[in-house]
Amino acid sequence: MGNAHSAIEDMGVRLQVESLRQKHHELKRQLEFLHRHIALTPAEQVESARLKKEKLLLKDRIAALGGQV
């Protein structure tokens, strides 16, 4: 039973990593869209900083789970 439990945990971790990767990719896409502007408004600068921070946190969570971005 320990082996089956381990396999289930591994599958859960893989699913979690995949979900985090998808979120990371979406944040990357949003940042790329923002940075197409010649200059960012103050609100866009704040949004850019928030997205970068969230993206980095996701990358760290993915790495902690043993995955790669």
Side-chain angles (χ1 to χ4, degrees), residues 2-68:
N3 211 9
H5 183 69
S6 178
I8 291 170
E9 284 181 1
D10 288 347
M11 181 181 286
V13 169
R14 283 194 299 268
L15 290 173
Q16 189 175 6
V17 167
E18 184 56 35
S19 175
L20 293 171
R21 283 182 183 144
Q22 289 173 0
K23 289 177 186 176
H24 184 272
H25 177 74
E26 177 59 26
L27 292 172
K28 181 179 176 182
R29 190 189 67 70
Q30 289 175 15
L31 278 166
E32 288 169 352
F33 178 78
L34 265 180
H35 289 279
R36 287 185 187 144
H37 298 111
I38 293 173
L40 298 178
T41 66
E44 289 171 333
Q45 290 174 3
V46 169
E47 179 68 2
S48 176
R50 185 191 68 76
L51 291 170
K52 287 177 183 179
K53 183 177 180 179
E54 188 175 346
K55 187 174 162 226
L56 184 58
L57 289 171
L58 286 173
K59 184 177 179 181
D60 289 347
R61 285 180 59 198
I62 292 168
L65 292 169
Q68 296 178 0

